[in-house]
Amino acid sequence: MRAVENFDTPAIDQILGDSTRHNHGTIREVADICDSFKYMAIGLQSFSRYMDPHLAQTLVKTKRRATLGMVKADVTVFFSDIAGFTTMAENLDPEALMGVLAQYLQDMSSIVMKHGGVVGEFIGDEIMAWWNAPPLEFDGEHTVAALSAAWEQQQRLAELREQWCEQGLPAVTTRMGLVRGQVLAGNLGSALRMKYGLVGDNVNLASRLEGLCRLYGVSCLVDDGVRSAPGVAEAFVLRPVDVVAVKGRQEATEIFELVAKIPEDRMAATSSLVFSGDFAAIQERYRGGDFAGALAGLEAFQSRWPGDKPTSILRARCEALLESPPGEGWSPTVQLNEK
């Protein structure tokens, strides 16, 4: 009974697995109660597949009826989707497409939950998740947990991509966006139908960053709130990519690429640290108005890391600014007019 009260899905699974029923000498009313309990457990197990288990457990433990209302929360918001999914859907057999999508969503969402995140939405191939709403105890910091999940998803997807390519299926890649900041979290909807979710500018920003991965040719972009969160600098390599004002937003946002997770032996991350550090030095020159110095640095950088799209974008800007120097008050912030 305690398992059902706490919405402990593994324990409920164990209850349902024990299907042996002893009728001999059993009072019928007791047997009916056992059956009712079992059916209730089945219902709760099914319910947990429509709603994140952490949310369901929180709701049950409050022992109160759910009501509409939201509160401020400091969270890490995550969005991801499959690059080129529309084209993939047009070209793949529906059964093959469903097989790829089902395995992808299963593995990616499992990694989110493994790292203490809440899977809030599946929107086609898109996943929306977040950390720290409702508050959950972590061994570390919730932004570190979110980045750990994003990095592990990329490693797992590389394994799946190899398997799928061997079967003649497309090479699946993803785009991810993460933002750390304040949102409104709670129940929204109507008195008859509601769901737990997040609302706020930082939710929209995370979605925008996921979309910007296409522009910059990277897999994962994060904002400065993520970069400056406790524990992040010690655990991850982040590269400064640009300063942008996304569509629908006037405020400038510095964006960073998730380059690597730093292993215990930091020497193993030397290449990633050099890659990020060299590009950061170039960005500092560019943002300070030293376009010639930035261009020289970019040429050397491209000789070592050819094919890097943020380098090509920044190089084109430097060349244009050297050809037509900006006036006083120039800002490195780029106003983006597309999502």
Side-chain angles (χ1 to χ4, degrees):
M1 192 67 180
R2 184 69 63 185
V4 175
E5 181 181 344
N6 292 331
F7 214 87
D8 184 345
T9 49
I12 291 173
D13 287 340
Q14 185 176 356
I15 291 169
L16 296 176
D18 182 14
S19 59
T20 304
R21 178 176 171 185
H22 302 284
N23 288 321
H24 181 67
T26 303
I27 300 174
R28 183 177 183 82
E29 287 80 358
V30 173
D32 289 342
I33 291 171
C34 289
D35 280 343
S36 297
F37 175 78
K38 192 166 186 176
Y39 298 147
M40 180 176 65
I42 291 172
L44 288 173
Q45 184 191 51
S46 297
F47 179 59
S48 71
R49 292 174 180 172
Y50 286 94
M51 187 180 196
D52 186 279
H54 174 53
L55 290 179
Q57 289 170 0
T58 302
L59 175 63
V60 171
K61 287 178 180 178
T62 62
K63 299 181 180 179
R64 295 197 301 267
R65 181 178 298 174
T67 57
L68 293 171
M70 309 191 86
V71 297
K72 291 180 180 179
D74 175 53
V75 301
T76 304
V77 188
F78 167 95
F79 277 88
S80 73
D81 75 353
I82 295 175
F85 180 74
T86 301
T87 302
M88 186 189 307
E90 290 175 352
N91 296 330
L92 271 185
D93 174 86
E95 189 174 336
L97 176 68
M98 191 60 216
V100 169
L101 185 59
Q103 185 168 16
Y104 167 79
L105 294 175
Q106 168 66 35
D107 288 12
M108 299 303 110
S109 60
S110 294
I111 291 170
V112 168
M113 291 187 285
K114 170 187 169 183
H115 289 276
V118 171
V119 178
E121 299 276 359
F122 293 118
I123 311 167
D125 61 309
E126 185 176 64
I127 299 173
M128 176 191 178
W130 61 80
W131 278 256
N132 206 42
L136 183 66
E137 291 185 5
F138 292 91
D139 292 335
E141 213 279 342
H142 63 82
T143 303
V144 172
L147 285 171
S148 296
W151 183 252
E152 187 175 333
Q153 283 179 315
Q154 291 184 17
Q155 308 314 300
R156 176 56 184 152
L157 183 58
E159 296 172 354
L160 290 173
R161 185 161 51 240
E162 185 177 349
Q163 295 174 20
W164 289 330
C165 286
E166 289 175 355
Q167 299 168 22
L169 296 169
V172 176
T173 59
T174 61
R175 299 182 290 248
M176 301 177 179
L178 290 93
V179 168
R180 163 77 181 260
Q182 194 172 87
V183 300
L184 290 176
N187 296 322
L188 63 160
S190 71
L192 298 177
R193 182 73 179 272
M194 65 185 72
K195 70 169 186 175
Y196 190 94
L198 308 183
V199 173
D201 183 53
N202 284 313
V203 177
N204 298 331
L205 180 58
S207 178
R208 294 286 189 270
L209 296 195
E210 176 257 297
L212 283 180
C213 288
R214 180 193 303 111
L215 174 63
Y216 292 98
V218 298
S219 297
C220 181
L221 288 172
V222 308
D223 77 330
D224 189 58
V226 168
R227 181 199 64 84
S228 59
V232 169
E234 295 76 22
F236 298 93
V237 179
L238 300 176
R239 168 173 66 149
V241 170
D242 212 346
V243 181
V244 301
V246 301
K247 183 177 174 63
R249 205 169 187 260
Q250 296 300 316
E251 183 181 345
T253 300
E254 186 172 11
I255 57 176
F256 301 80
E257 177 193 5
L258 173 59
V259 174
K261 185 173 184 179
I262 300 175
E264 291 184 9
D265 178 10
R266 289 184 68 91
M267 293 298 293
T270 299
S271 178
S272 297
L273 290 166
V274 171
F275 172 81
S276 176
D278 286 359
F279 198 80
I282 294 168
Q283 282 280 11
E284 188 174 351
R285 289 179 208 156
Y286 166 73
R287 295 175 192 181
D290 180 9
F291 308 127
L295 183 58
L298 287 164
E299 290 171 350
F301 190 90
Q302 276 189 313
S303 68
R304 186 167 183 183
W305 287 288
D308 180 59
K309 194 169 180 181
T311 303
S312 299
I313 291 172
L314 192 56
R315 181 169 181 168
R317 282 189 204 158
C318 287
E319 290 171 345
L321 289 165
L322 285 169
E323 185 176 335
S324 301
E328 290 186 12
W330 172 81
S331 169
T333 300
V334 178
Q335 182 70 51
L336 299 175
N337 297 316
E338 296 182 4
K339 294 184 180 180

